[in-house]
Amino acid sequence: MEDVRSPLTGKTALVTGAAKRIGRVIALTLARNGAHVVVHYHQSAQEALELCSEIQRLGVSAWPVPGDLMDAQQAEKILPDAVAKAGPIDILVNNGSIFEKDTLWEATEESIGKNVRIHAVAPLILARQLARQERAAHIVNLLDTRVAVYDREHASYDLSKSMLLTLTRMLALELAPKVAVNAIAPGSILPPPGQGQAYMAKLTYTNPLNRIGDPEEIAETVLYLVRSRFVTGQIVYVDGGMHLKGHLY
Ligand SMILES: NC(=O)c1ccc[n+]([C@@H]2O[C@H](COP(=O)([O-])OP(=O)(O)OC[C@H]3O[C@@H](n4cnc5c(N)ncnc54)[C@H](OP(=O)(O)O)[C@@H]3O)[C@@H](O)[C@H]2O)c1
């Protein structure tokens, strides 16, 4: 039977926040499947350069591109800079993120603004620029299972990721038929900075499948979405079923 999934050979991906953690695994997975990769970073310049070397050793090209996603002027430059180095972009993964604690009682205009700028405004800027290339492309937005499960300790974050969920659906309609736009909502994958395995161990039994996810499972889902030709506007929960429970812990 014909394989209806598109190969990635010769395609170029831009992954935001790609220097470390889940973004790094997504970048490497796309590269292993034949894509050239633009490694966007903010503060992790050294890690971004090292990742580019690792990707190049796989036989594809890689380029580091910096930029602060919280600053709209800098966000506007990322895709043009990527195109100047790598040529047209076929795959955009909006992965760059912050994860800071606050409740709705503590949230401020500043905390909400920061989260919305990085998690919704920057992805919108990048998506519009990608669409203006007027070629077939895929966008994958990284959400969080918290968009379905209220986490009162990360209110500004949750609010902004929910905006990215709505944006995913709006873009799926607005950018069709050339651009497919989907999202992944991970559950517990990696501990936040400052937390270790003990923190993750506590989360193991909080989802119906009683386990922690691997970054590779997120990357495999990205791979599925960017190779598909008939899927758009989907939110794929890679969270052990956490979204079904209605509460986090
Ligand atoms: N970790 C999990 O278990 C989990 C769970 C649910 C959802 N997710 C989602 O999955 C994605 C990846 O998760 P992660 O934990 O690997 O992410 P992360 O480590 O929190 O952040 C990824 C990268 O985002 C970049 N970033 C932060 N602020 C930035 C800014 N102002 N401008 C540009 N880039 C900025 C950083 O790049 P530099 O290091 O270069 O500064 C960072 O390495 C995120 O969207 C996250 O919300 C993760």
PDB file of all heavy atoms in Angstrom, residues 211-234:
ATOM      1  N   ARG A 211       2.179   6.758  34.587  1.00  0.00           N
ATOM      2  CA  ARG A 211       3.588   6.886  34.199  1.00  0.00           C
ATOM      3  C   ARG A 211       3.914   8.327  33.826  1.00  0.00           C
ATOM      4  O   ARG A 211       3.024   9.168  33.736  1.00  0.00           O
ATOM      5  CB  ARG A 211       3.952   5.929  33.057  1.00  0.00           C
ATOM      6  CG  ARG A 211       3.171   6.091  31.778  1.00  0.00           C
ATOM      7  CD  ARG A 211       3.698   5.148  30.701  1.00  0.00           C
ATOM      8  NE  ARG A 211       5.058   5.519  30.356  1.00  0.00           N
ATOM      9  CZ  ARG A 211       5.393   6.134  29.228  1.00  0.00           C
ATOM     10  NH1 ARG A 211       4.482   6.404  28.321  1.00  0.00           N
ATOM     11  NH2 ARG A 211       6.642   6.463  28.976  1.00  0.00           N
ATOM     12  N   ILE A 212       5.191   8.576  33.617  1.00  0.00           N
ATOM     13  CA  ILE A 212       5.681   9.868  33.130  1.00  0.00           C
ATOM     14  C   ILE A 212       5.989   9.692  31.643  1.00  0.00           C
ATOM     15  O   ILE A 212       6.457   8.636  31.231  1.00  0.00           O
ATOM     16  CB  ILE A 212       6.988  10.243  33.888  1.00  0.00           C
ATOM     17  CG1 ILE A 212       6.717  10.395  35.392  1.00  0.00           C
ATOM     18  CG2 ILE A 212       7.644  11.493  33.324  1.00  0.00           C
ATOM     19  CD1 ILE A 212       5.729  11.474  35.737  1.00  0.00           C
ATOM     20  N   GLY A 213       5.732  10.714  30.841  1.00  0.00           N
ATOM     21  CA  GLY A 213       6.013  10.608  29.404  1.00  0.00           C
ATOM     22  C   GLY A 213       7.465  10.920  29.095  1.00  0.00           C
ATOM     23  O   GLY A 213       8.172  11.525  29.899  1.00  0.00           O
ATOM     24  N   ASP A 214       7.910  10.511  27.921  1.00  0.00           N
ATOM     25  CA  ASP A 214       9.281  10.799  27.464  1.00  0.00           C
ATOM     26  C   ASP A 214       9.235  11.930  26.434  1.00  0.00           C
ATOM     27  O   ASP A 214       8.301  12.005  25.640  1.00  0.00           O
ATOM     28  CB  ASP A 214       9.891   9.593  26.732  1.00  0.00           C
ATOM     29  CG  ASP A 214       9.948   8.380  27.619  1.00  0.00           C
ATOM     30  OD1 ASP A 214      10.381   8.535  28.769  1.00  0.00           O
ATOM     31  OD2 ASP A 214       9.531   7.290  27.156  1.00  0.00           O
ATOM     32  N   PRO A 215      10.294  12.754  26.389  1.00  0.00           N
ATOM     33  CA  PRO A 215      10.373  13.755  25.314  1.00  0.00           C
ATOM     34  C   PRO A 215      10.231  13.105  23.925  1.00  0.00           C
ATOM     35  O   PRO A 215       9.667  13.687  23.003  1.00  0.00           O
ATOM     36  CB  PRO A 215      11.773  14.357  25.496  1.00  0.00           C
ATOM     37  CG  PRO A 215      12.082  14.166  26.931  1.00  0.00           C
ATOM     38  CD  PRO A 215      11.421  12.877  27.336  1.00  0.00           C
ATOM     39  N   GLU A 216      10.717  11.846  23.824  1.00  0.00           N
ATOM     40  CA  GLU A 216      10.645  11.154  22.521  1.00  0.00           C
ATOM     41  C   GLU A 216       9.188  10.955  22.081  1.00  0.00           C
ATOM     42  O   GLU A 216       8.883  10.967  20.887  1.00  0.00           O
ATOM     43  CB  GLU A 216      11.343   9.791  22.587  1.00  0.00           C
ATOM     44  CG  GLU A 216      12.857   9.857  22.578  1.00  0.00           C
ATOM     45  CD  GLU A 216      13.483  10.359  23.880  1.00  0.00           C
ATOM     46  OE1 GLU A 216      12.761  10.404  24.906  1.00  0.00           O
ATOM     47  OE2 GLU A 216      14.672  10.724  23.859  1.00  0.00           O
ATOM     48  N   GLU A 217       8.274  10.764  23.056  1.00  0.00           N
ATOM     49  CA  GLU A 217       6.865  10.579  22.685  1.00  0.00           C
ATOM     50  C   GLU A 217       6.280  11.863  22.111  1.00  0.00           C
ATOM     51  O   GLU A 217       5.420  11.838  21.231  1.00  0.00           O
ATOM     52  CB  GLU A 217       6.036  10.126  23.890  1.00  0.00           C
ATOM     53  CG  GLU A 217       6.422   8.745  24.367  1.00  0.00           C
ATOM     54  CD  GLU A 217       5.369   8.146  25.283  1.00  0.00           C
ATOM     55  OE1 GLU A 217       4.179   8.148  24.920  1.00  0.00           O
ATOM     56  OE2 GLU A 217       5.756   7.669  26.363  1.00  0.00           O
ATOM     57  N   ILE A 218       6.756  13.003  22.643  1.00  0.00           N
ATOM     58  CA  ILE A 218       6.308  14.297  22.098  1.00  0.00           C
ATOM     59  C   ILE A 218       6.879  14.454  20.685  1.00  0.00           C
ATOM     60  O   ILE A 218       6.163  14.819  19.752  1.00  0.00           O
ATOM     61  CB  ILE A 218       6.788  15.464  23.000  1.00  0.00           C
ATOM     62  CG1 ILE A 218       6.332  15.257  24.451  1.00  0.00           C
ATOM     63  CG2 ILE A 218       6.310  16.797  22.438  1.00  0.00           C
ATOM     64  CD1 ILE A 218       4.853  15.206  24.671  1.00  0.00           C
ATOM     65  N   ALA A 219       8.167  14.132  20.532  1.00  0.00           N
ATOM     66  CA  ALA A 219       8.813  14.289  19.224  1.00  0.00           C
ATOM     67  C   ALA A 219       8.174  13.368  18.179  1.00  0.00           C
ATOM     68  O   ALA A 219       7.996  13.761  17.015  1.00  0.00           O
ATOM     69  CB  ALA A 219      10.311  14.007  19.351  1.00  0.00           C
ATOM     70  N   GLU A 220       7.827  12.140  18.583  1.00  0.00           N
ATOM     71  CA  GLU A 220       7.180  11.209  17.645  1.00  0.00           C
ATOM     72  C   GLU A 220       5.819  11.753  17.208  1.00  0.00           C
ATOM     73  O   GLU A 220       5.388  11.552  16.069  1.00  0.00           O
ATOM     74  CB  GLU A 220       6.992   9.829  18.305  1.00  0.00           C
ATOM     75  CG  GLU A 220       8.278   9.036  18.450  1.00  0.00           C
ATOM     76  CD  GLU A 220       8.938   8.721  17.108  1.00  0.00           C
ATOM     77  OE1 GLU A 220       8.227   8.442  16.129  1.00  0.00           O
ATOM     78  OE2 GLU A 220      10.180   8.762  17.042  1.00  0.00           O
ATOM     79  N   THR A 221       5.142  12.452  18.118  1.00  0.00           N
ATOM     80  CA  THR A 221       3.829  13.026  17.777  1.00  0.00           C
ATOM     81  C   THR A 221       4.013  14.196  16.804  1.00  0.00           C
ATOM     82  O   THR A 221       3.231  14.353  15.853  1.00  0.00           O
ATOM     83  CB  THR A 221       3.087  13.475  19.055  1.00  0.00           C
ATOM     84  OG1 THR A 221       3.120  12.400  19.981  1.00  0.00           O
ATOM     85  CG2 THR A 221       1.638  13.830  18.751  1.00  0.00           C
ATOM     86  N   VAL A 222       5.053  14.998  17.042  1.00  0.00           N
ATOM     87  CA  VAL A 222       5.369  16.075  16.080  1.00  0.00           C
ATOM     88  C   VAL A 222       5.592  15.452  14.702  1.00  0.00           C
ATOM     89  O   VAL A 222       5.040  15.898  13.691  1.00  0.00           O
ATOM     90  CB  VAL A 222       6.632  16.867  16.504  1.00  0.00           C
ATOM     91  CG1 VAL A 222       7.070  17.837  15.399  1.00  0.00           C
ATOM     92  CG2 VAL A 222       6.388  17.631  17.810  1.00  0.00           C
ATOM     93  N   LEU A 223       6.387  14.384  14.695  1.00  0.00           N
ATOM     94  CA  LEU A 223       6.715  13.712  13.432  1.00  0.00           C
ATOM     95  C   LEU A 223       5.445  13.238  12.714  1.00  0.00           C
ATOM     96  O   LEU A 223       5.282  13.449  11.512  1.00  0.00           O
ATOM     97  CB  LEU A 223       7.629  12.525  13.747  1.00  0.00           C
ATOM     98  CG  LEU A 223       8.405  11.906  12.614  1.00  0.00           C
ATOM     99  CD1 LEU A 223       9.273  12.933  11.905  1.00  0.00           C
ATOM    100  CD2 LEU A 223       9.267  10.761  13.156  1.00  0.00           C
ATOM    101  N   TYR A 224       4.557  12.612  13.467  1.00  0.00           N
ATOM    102  CA  TYR A 224       3.287  12.157  12.874  1.00  0.00           C
ATOM    103  C   TYR A 224       2.539  13.339  12.249  1.00  0.00           C
ATOM    104  O   TYR A 224       2.089  13.272  11.101  1.00  0.00           O
ATOM    105  CB  TYR A 224       2.405  11.455  13.924  1.00  0.00           C
ATOM    106  CG  TYR A 224       0.970  11.396  13.477  1.00  0.00           C
ATOM    107  CD1 TYR A 224       0.580  10.535  12.450  1.00  0.00           C
ATOM    108  CD2 TYR A 224       0.010  12.256  14.012  1.00  0.00           C
ATOM    109  CE1 TYR A 224      -0.730  10.523  11.982  1.00  0.00           C
ATOM    110  CE2 TYR A 224      -1.287  12.254  13.560  1.00  0.00           C
ATOM    111  CZ  TYR A 224      -1.657  11.382  12.538  1.00  0.00           C
ATOM    112  OH  TYR A 224      -2.944  11.400  12.071  1.00  0.00           O
ATOM    113  N   LEU A 225       2.422  14.439  13.028  1.00  0.00           N
ATOM    114  CA  LEU A 225       1.620  15.576  12.561  1.00  0.00           C
ATOM    115  C   LEU A 225       2.228  16.225  11.325  1.00  0.00           C
ATOM    116  O   LEU A 225       1.496  16.598  10.398  1.00  0.00           O
ATOM    117  CB  LEU A 225       1.447  16.606  13.689  1.00  0.00           C
ATOM    118  CG  LEU A 225       0.536  16.144  14.842  1.00  0.00           C
ATOM    119  CD1 LEU A 225       0.605  17.138  16.007  1.00  0.00           C
ATOM    120  CD2 LEU A 225      -0.913  15.975  14.369  1.00  0.00           C
ATOM    121  N   VAL A 226       3.553  16.373  11.285  1.00  0.00           N
ATOM    122  CA  VAL A 226       4.151  17.074  10.141  1.00  0.00           C
ATOM    123  C   VAL A 226       4.259  16.183   8.902  1.00  0.00           C
ATOM    124  O   VAL A 226       4.502  16.675   7.804  1.00  0.00           O
ATOM    125  CB  VAL A 226       5.530  17.698  10.479  1.00  0.00           C
ATOM    126  CG1 VAL A 226       5.402  18.668  11.644  1.00  0.00           C
ATOM    127  CG2 VAL A 226       6.590  16.650  10.757  1.00  0.00           C
ATOM    128  N   ARG A 227       4.045  14.878   9.101  1.00  0.00           N
ATOM    129  CA  ARG A 227       4.038  13.978   7.939  1.00  0.00           C
ATOM    130  C   ARG A 227       2.628  13.713   7.429  1.00  0.00           C
ATOM    131  O   ARG A 227       2.450  13.131   6.371  1.00  0.00           O
ATOM    132  CB  ARG A 227       4.728  12.660   8.285  1.00  0.00           C
ATOM    133  CG  ARG A 227       6.214  12.836   8.594  1.00  0.00           C
ATOM    134  CD  ARG A 227       6.861  11.505   8.883  1.00  0.00           C
ATOM    135  NE  ARG A 227       6.985  10.721   7.672  1.00  0.00           N
ATOM    136  CZ  ARG A 227       7.060   9.389   7.638  1.00  0.00           C
ATOM    137  NH1 ARG A 227       7.031   8.713   8.751  1.00  0.00           N
ATOM    138  NH2 ARG A 227       7.190   8.752   6.503  1.00  0.00           N
ATOM    139  N   SER A 228       1.627  14.121   8.195  1.00  0.00           N
ATOM    140  CA  SER A 228       0.258  13.819   7.782  1.00  0.00           C
ATOM    141  C   SER A 228      -0.207  14.830   6.732  1.00  0.00           C
ATOM    142  O   SER A 228       0.298  15.954   6.674  1.00  0.00           O
ATOM    143  CB  SER A 228      -0.671  13.839   8.991  1.00  0.00           C
ATOM    144  OG  SER A 228      -0.780  15.153   9.464  1.00  0.00           O
ATOM    145  N   ARG A 229      -1.167  14.414   5.919  1.00  0.00           N
ATOM    146  CA  ARG A 229      -1.649  15.304   4.852  1.00  0.00           C
ATOM    147  C   ARG A 229      -3.134  15.620   4.991  1.00  0.00           C
ATOM    148  O   ARG A 229      -3.702  16.337   4.174  1.00  0.00           O
ATOM    149  CB  ARG A 229      -1.399  14.657   3.482  1.00  0.00           C
ATOM    150  CG  ARG A 229       0.084  14.460   3.209  1.00  0.00           C
ATOM    151  CD  ARG A 229       0.384  14.192   1.771  1.00  0.00           C
ATOM    152  NE  ARG A 229      -0.309  13.005   1.265  1.00  0.00           N
ATOM    153  CZ  ARG A 229       0.077  12.327   0.203  1.00  0.00           C
ATOM    154  NH1 ARG A 229       1.147  12.704  -0.464  1.00  0.00           N
ATOM    155  NH2 ARG A 229      -0.602  11.274  -0.207  1.00  0.00           N
ATOM    156  N   PHE A 230      -3.767  15.034   6.041  1.00  0.00           N
ATOM    157  CA  PHE A 230      -5.228  15.196   6.156  1.00  0.00           C
ATOM    158  C   PHE A 230      -5.647  15.492   7.593  1.00  0.00           C
ATOM    159  O   PHE A 230      -6.770  15.211   7.986  1.00  0.00           O
ATOM    160  CB  PHE A 230      -5.907  13.906   5.637  1.00  0.00           C
ATOM    161  CG  PHE A 230      -7.318  14.102   5.189  1.00  0.00           C
ATOM    162  CD1 PHE A 230      -7.664  15.153   4.350  1.00  0.00           C
ATOM    163  CD2 PHE A 230      -8.318  13.221   5.587  1.00  0.00           C
ATOM    164  CE1 PHE A 230      -8.978  15.329   3.927  1.00  0.00           C
ATOM    165  CE2 PHE A 230      -9.632  13.382   5.167  1.00  0.00           C
ATOM    166  CZ  PHE A 230      -9.964  14.444   4.328  1.00  0.00           C
ATOM    167  N   VAL A 231      -4.691  16.033   8.362  1.00  0.00           N
ATOM    168  CA  VAL A 231      -4.970  16.333   9.763  1.00  0.00           C
ATOM    169  C   VAL A 231      -4.676  17.805   9.998  1.00  0.00           C
ATOM    170  O   VAL A 231      -3.557  18.262   9.765  1.00  0.00           O
ATOM    171  CB  VAL A 231      -4.073  15.479  10.709  1.00  0.00           C
ATOM    172  CG1 VAL A 231      -4.357  15.817  12.174  1.00  0.00           C
ATOM    173  CG2 VAL A 231      -4.298  13.991  10.458  1.00  0.00           C
ATOM    174  N   THR A 232      -5.695  18.551  10.433  1.00  0.00           N
ATOM    175  CA  THR A 232      -5.442  19.947  10.828  1.00  0.00           C
ATOM    176  C   THR A 232      -6.426  20.334  11.927  1.00  0.00           C
ATOM    177  O   THR A 232      -7.514  19.762  12.033  1.00  0.00           O
ATOM    178  CB  THR A 232      -5.514  20.912   9.614  1.00  0.00           C
ATOM    179  OG1 THR A 232      -4.898  22.153   9.979  1.00  0.00           O
ATOM    180  CG2 THR A 232      -6.936  21.176   9.147  1.00  0.00           C
ATOM    181  N   GLY A 233      -6.013  21.282  12.760  1.00  0.00           N
ATOM    182  CA  GLY A 233      -6.881  21.756  13.847  1.00  0.00           C
ATOM    183  C   GLY A 233      -6.993  20.784  15.006  1.00  0.00           C
ATOM    184  O   GLY A 233      -7.856  20.941  15.871  1.00  0.00           O
ATOM    185  N   GLN A 234      -6.107  19.775  15.073  1.00  0.00           N
ATOM    186  CA  GLN A 234      -6.191  18.765  16.134  1.00  0.00           C
ATOM    187  C   GLN A 234      -5.362  19.159  17.352  1.00  0.00           C
ATOM    188  O   GLN A 234      -4.288  19.747  17.225  1.00  0.00           O
ATOM    189  CB  GLN A 234      -5.688  17.415  15.636  1.00  0.00           C
ATOM    190  CG  GLN A 234      -6.661  16.694  14.745  1.00  0.00           C
ATOM    191  CD  GLN A 234      -7.990  16.401  15.428  1.00  0.00           C
ATOM    192  OE1 GLN A 234      -8.029  16.009  16.592  1.00  0.00           O
ATOM    193  NE2 GLN A 234      -9.074  16.610  14.708  1.00  0.00           N
TER     194      GLN A 234
END
